[in-house]
Amino acid sequence: MAIPALSLHAFRTAQRAAPLSDFGREMFEGLSRSARSISPKFFYDAAGSQLFDRICDLPEYYPTRTEMRILTEHASEIAEVIGPNAEVVEFGAGSLTKVRLLLDAFRSPRRYVPIDISGEHLEAAAQRLRADYPQLAVQPVVADYTMPLVLPARGEGMGQRVGFFPGSTLGNFSPDEALAFLQLAQRLLRGGGLLLGVDLVKDPALLHAAYNDSQGVTAAFNLNLLRRANRELGSDFDLEGFTHAAFYNSPLRRIEMHLVSRRAQQVMLDGQRFDFEEGETIHTENSHKFTVDGLRALAVKAGLRPAAVWTDPDRLFSVHWLQSPAAQ
């Protein structure tokens, strides 16, 4: 709704008086740090989710098609490991595309619980899935899957509770956060396990191209974070004043994404002024890359038992089955 010019000051004053959302609090805290940063989970409003879907189809972005190839070629093996009547819990479900490869291969899957922070995008995807799998109970959960979760109670006759965490989203976490997530998954999935996709260490040139696509979709995805802040938080980021930057940090084995200030400028958020120097950045995402042995060691540390692992012929990507022992 358009705001009359004469009431703009009152509108902004009211915004400052209102409690900040989780996004607002984390953006305020992130801008207040000496090294400015914000969690990548806030990329995924409706527009950001749609942009990410476009990224997954880009020729330079190998992770999605490579992981889907692994899931397709090894679907019968994965189904054998999982067994019949499974309950599938997908963390950060997005568009629910990859899980269809599993549902088509599994024997009589009973329930699917997609978890995502973007409620509008999740519900639309869940409705499409219900239409295509009418015998499957689909129960979406709008939540931050990095926080404590309460899942629907197990139904009678259900098989293993199987976590599904594709896309190498684990790589967006710091090492400590990745361990904490795997520990959370271990508790939620007792007696079942986690099917986890992670990107592998490789030629930095391939990584650079994947996060700096020629069509500029990744740049638009990164900048959409500022557009969302302006819309939801009443900030005044000048989108022309920031640019996308992504590079491979070899010692830390991670891609870093930043929004770089093109000039000295000021941004207002919740009544506070934040000064940016030319070249100063907001660190928006890390994407850590793994070795197979390194990931398996991390899983053991989290209380999971590494079992089968599947990779593509070029070892660009890997999918792991990590068992969660039943409670003693």
Side-chain angles (χ1 to χ4, degrees), residues 144 207 260 319:
D144 179 352
L207 292 169
V260 184
V319 174

Side-chain angles (χ1 to χ4, degrees), residues 137-177:
V138 179
Q139 295 182 233
V141 174
V142 179
D144 179 352
Y145 59 82
T146 65
M147 305 299 289
L149 290 168
V150 177
L151 296 178
R154 300 291 301 279
E156 185 177 349
M158 283 190 180
Q160 292 196 84
R161 173 172 277 176
V162 178
F164 184 43
F165 197 37
S168 202
T169 307
L170 187 75
N172 295 148
F173 300 154
S174 70
D176 287 344
E177 290 168 342

Side-chain angles (χ1 to χ4, degrees), residues 246-279:
F247 59 89
Y248 185 57
N249 184 329
S250 293
L252 296 181
R253 290 182 173 176
R254 72 187 190 195
I255 284 282
E256 295 186 15
M257 284 210 326
H258 295 255
L259 290 165
V260 184
S261 180
R262 294 176 180 268
R263 61 178 185 274
Q265 57 183 309
Q266 298 172 348
V267 174
M268 295 296 295
L269 173 64
D270 195 42
Q272 177 72 40
R273 188 186 79 187
F274 295 93
D275 295 316
F276 283 82
E277 299 296 331
E278 181 180 0

Side-chain angles (χ1 to χ4, degrees), residues 25-322:
R25 285 193 298 272
E26 292 203 31
M27 178 64 85
F28 193 95
E29 292 169 2
L31 295 182
S32 300
R33 300 186 188 108
S34 56
R36 288 169 166 156
S37 64
I38 182 70
S39 169
K41 68 185 178 184
F42 295 112
F43 281 138
Y44 298 99
D45 63 348
S49 296
Q50 291 170 1
L51 284 165
F52 185 73
D53 287 347
R54 289 179 58 194
I55 288 171
C56 292
D57 291 333
L58 293 169
E60 300 98 330
Y61 195 75
Y62 65 86
T64 300
R65 63 174 178 270
T66 306
E67 184 176 36
M68 290 189 72
R69 177 182 173 186
I70 293 169
L71 293 173
T72 300
E73 292 183 351
H74 298 282
S76 60
E77 297 170 51
I78 295 170
E80 188 65 28
V81 168
I82 301 306
N85 304 318
E87 176 192 32
V88 182
V89 178
E90 183 171 4
F91 302 97
S95 296
L96 318 190
T97 300
K98 294 173 186 172
V99 75
R100 291 169 179 263
L101 301 173
L102 302 181
L103 296 175
D104 289 343
F106 286 179
R107 286 178 286 160
S108 304
R110 293 285 298 276
R111 182 165 64 187
Y112 173 56
V113 182
I115 304 169
D116 202 273
I117 199 171
S118 179
E120 180 182 348
H121 192 72
L122 178 62
E123 184 53 42
Q127 288 181 6
R128 292 191 296 271
L129 196 76
R130 289 189 188 103
D132 293 339
Y133 297 85
Q135 303 304 314
L136 180 70
V138 179
Q139 295 182 233
V141 174
V142 179
D144 179 352
Y145 59 82
T146 65
M147 305 299 289
L149 290 168
V150 177
L151 296 178
R154 300 291 301 279
E156 185 177 349
M158 283 190 180
Q160 292 196 84
R161 173 172 277 176
V162 178
F164 184 43
F165 197 37
S168 202
T169 307
L170 187 75
N172 295 148
F173 300 154
S174 70
D176 287 344
E177 290 168 342
L179 176 61
F181 171 79
L182 292 177
Q183 290 170 331
L184 171 66
Q186 188 273 328
R187 293 191 295 271
L188 289 173
L189 304 170
R190 290 188 189 280
L194 178 65
L195 192 66
L196 174 69
V198 295
D199 201 8
L200 298 177
V201 173
K202 61 182 60 63
D203 184 346
L206 288 174
L207 292 169
H208 180 83
Y211 292 85
N212 294 277
D213 63 276
S214 59
Q215 297 179 43
V217 182
T218 309
F221 174 70
N222 202 4
L223 285 161
N224 182 65
L225 185 70
L226 304 185
R227 182 176 288 107
R228 179 185 181 186
N230 287 350
R231 183 181 66 253
E232 296 184 16
L233 308 178
S235 57
D236 61 352
F237 285 101
D238 176 7
L239 271 66
E240 297 298 323
F242 288 84
T243 189
H244 162 77
F247 59 89
Y248 185 57
N249 184 329
S250 293
L252 296 181
R253 290 182 173 176
R254 72 187 190 195
I255 284 282
E256 295 186 15
M257 284 210 326
H258 295 255
L259 290 165
V260 184
S261 180
R262 294 176 180 268
R263 61 178 185 274
Q265 57 183 309
Q266 298 172 348
V267 174
M268 295 296 295
L269 173 64
D270 195 42
Q272 177 72 40
R273 188 186 79 187
F274 295 93
D275 295 316
F276 283 82
E277 299 296 331
E278 181 180 0
E280 191 171 357
T281 80
I282 305 171
H283 190 165
T284 55
E285 183 179 63
N286 290 320
S287 183
H288 291 86
K289 308 306 171 186
F290 298 87
T291 64
V292 168
D293 289 344
L295 187 283
R296 290 166 70 87
L298 181 64
V300 169
K301 191 174 181 181
L304 294 161
R305 294 176 182 167
V309 58
W310 300 274
T311 67
D312 60 286
D314 296 323
R315 293 183 69 84
L316 299 176
F317 204 92
S318 60
V319 174
H320 299 251
W321 173 238
L322 307 171

